[in-house]
Amino acid sequence: MERAPVASINLAIVGVGKIVRDQHLPAVAADGDFRLVAAASRNGRVEGIDNFDSIGTMLAAVPSIDAVSLCMPPQYRYAAAVQAIDAGKHVFLEKPPGATLSEVEDLAARAAAQGVSLFASWHSRYAPAVEAARAFLAGTRIQRMRVTWKEDVRQWHPNQDWIWQPGGLGVFDPGINALSIVTRILPRPVFATAATLEFPANRQAPIAASIRFSDAGGLDLAAEFDWRQTGRQSWDIEASTDAGTMLLAEGGATLSVDGRVVHSEPEQEYPMLYRRFAGLVRSGASDVDLAPLRHVADAFMLGQRQVVDPFDD
Ligand code: NAP
């Protein structure tokens, strides 16, 4: 028997910048569940659809929109999300889902009250080898874990002033990706026990951070985030376990155990995010896990502050 066709979800994208062009537009174009009908951005435009200067004018002009993806910097996401939820739209939040824990909790409550789906997306959780790492760790005793997320901010975030502003998270903008993986693959919750944050003398957000974590069983977990890395970039999570040493490398793309690659597949993070979002919309569910953002907030609460050399682009 042929399946009845399922109506596509009319999607609008807000905040047309780097991640929209790099990932959202190709992922949405390849996903039969979505039809991109409009975009709202102060300067950015998407060819072939209606474009608006603000989410408010877009929502008023295009009532057929079912869902919106909010891809502007995190400091400006809450106000847009409230407008979308109040208009009865399902909402996809880029990571991090907001500038504070409380505002995202408020969004989750508003979405539940309105009966719309809210998806706090964590793209790195959909990296190819993350689920394999989670399965490996589930059957082991973990002695020690080291997270090394070191990249060149000049290469990956040129001219992004928002990232250095309060709420922009600084080095935690990539670091939270590591934390989204760690909180997915570890069998038990962890908590920060100490942190050091390095702030350039002329900036409001850290350029480097180190955090120590533990859990009820005394796990030895340390994370090093640094934006001053030139040359080889590192996005690695290594764990010493009673079943061998696991290395989840390249941002979650490859899993090795004792030096042997056991899982490696092409990257499909954004196509998988949109699969997940479609599933949430179709089933009337939400997915809002605040654990990665909570760890960043804890690091800011607990962290020693060190002032380091000024940073200029
Ligand atoms: P971006 O290009 O600097 O910003 C996206 C767009 O947001 C801008 O083009 C701008 O469009 C709009 N915007 C900027 N400031 C705004 C403001 N004050 N109010 C309203 N809109 C504003 O940033 P991005 O790299 O795409 O990152 C956006 C989000 O995606 C961040 O949360 C980031 O963590 C996440 N993300 C980024 C990457 C990446 O590789 N870049 C990867 C994964 C996730 P208009 O000027 O047209 O309004």
Side-chain angles (χ1 to χ4, degrees):
M1 198 173 70
E2 271 190 31
R3 279 175 55 195
V6 179
S8 52
I9 299 162
N10 287 335
L11 182 77
I13 286 185
V14 187
V16 178
K18 184 173 187 311
I19 195 60
V20 166
R21 294 196 181 90
D22 288 356
Q23 297 288 350
H24 288 259
L25 294 179
V28 170
D31 191 320
D33 259 330
F34 291 96
R35 196 163 71 93
L36 188 62
V37 295
S41 213
R42 299 164 313 168
N43 302 290
R45 295 287 177 267
V46 178
E47 272 185 31
I49 57 171
D50 289 335
N51 287 270
F52 299 87
D53 292 339
S54 75
I55 183 171
T57 50
M58 179 183 75
L59 292 173
V62 192
S64 64
I65 292 169
D66 300 310
V68 296
S69 290
L70 302 183
C71 305
M72 69 287 281
Q75 298 99 322
Y76 314 106
R77 208 167 285 137
Y78 173 81
V82 168
Q83 288 186 70
I85 291 169
D86 286 354
K89 313 303 179 189
H90 307 288
V91 174
F92 176 130
L93 301 170
E94 248 301 348
K95 54 70 39 174
T100 69
L101 291 163
S102 303
E103 68 182 28
V104 186
E105 282 176 354
D106 183 58
L107 293 180
R110 285 170 177 272
Q114 272 283 6
V116 297
S117 297
L118 182 67
F119 181 30
S121 71
W122 298 109
H123 67 88
S124 291
R125 284 189 175 171
Y126 295 82
V130 168
E131 290 307 305
R134 175 180 162 93
F136 172 80
L137 290 176
T140 69
R141 203 164 57 78
I142 307 164
Q143 287 128 2
R144 183 177 186 275
M145 184 177 264
R146 292 289 176 267
V147 179
T148 310
W149 231 250
K150 296 186 176 180
E151 61 177 46
D152 183 352
V153 64
R154 289 189 173 89
Q155 180 179 346
W156 300 103
H157 301 280
N159 310 314
Q160 289 191 325
D161 284 341
W162 61 265
I163 220 160
W164 293 105
Q165 299 297 327
L169 297 191
V171 76
F172 290 115
D173 178 78
I176 204 167
N177 297 334
L179 296 174
S180 75
I181 296 176
V182 167
T183 49
R184 175 71 191 158
I185 64 177
L186 279 177
R188 284 196 297 269
V190 293
F191 46 87
T193 57
T196 304
L197 312 184
E198 295 180 42
F199 287 76
N202 59 343
R203 301 287 180 164
Q204 294 291 327
I207 195 165
S210 54
I211 317 177
R212 297 204 71 93
F213 295 89
S214 195
D215 68 1
L219 176 70
D220 169 13
L221 166 55
E224 296 289 334
F225 304 141
D226 203 322
W227 252 350
R228 297 165 297 197
Q229 179 95 339
T230 52
R232 184 180 173 273
Q233 310 284 286
S234 306
W235 299 288
D236 298 333
I237 299 173
E238 190 177 81
S240 309
T241 79
D242 58 356
T245 299
M246 177 207 93
L247 176 63
L248 184 58
E250 298 158 43
T254 308
L255 179 69
S256 309
V257 176
D258 291 334
R260 193 173 61 87
V261 175
V262 296
H263 196 101
S264 179
E265 278 174 24
E267 186 269 301
Q268 284 286 310
E269 292 177 13
Y270 277 78
M272 290 177 72
L273 284 180
Y274 275 97
R275 294 281 73 237
R276 174 73 175 146
F277 187 42
L280 292 171
V281 169
R282 301 244 184 258
S283 63
S286 287
D287 177 353
V288 183
D289 179 11
L290 286 172
L293 189 61
R294 197 169 55 240
H295 288 311
V296 172
D298 286 355
F300 275 105
M301 274 201 287
L302 206 57
Q304 287 191 37
R305 183 185 173 113
Q306 290 180 355
V307 178
V308 297
D309 288 346
F311 176 84
D312 295 304
D313 290 321

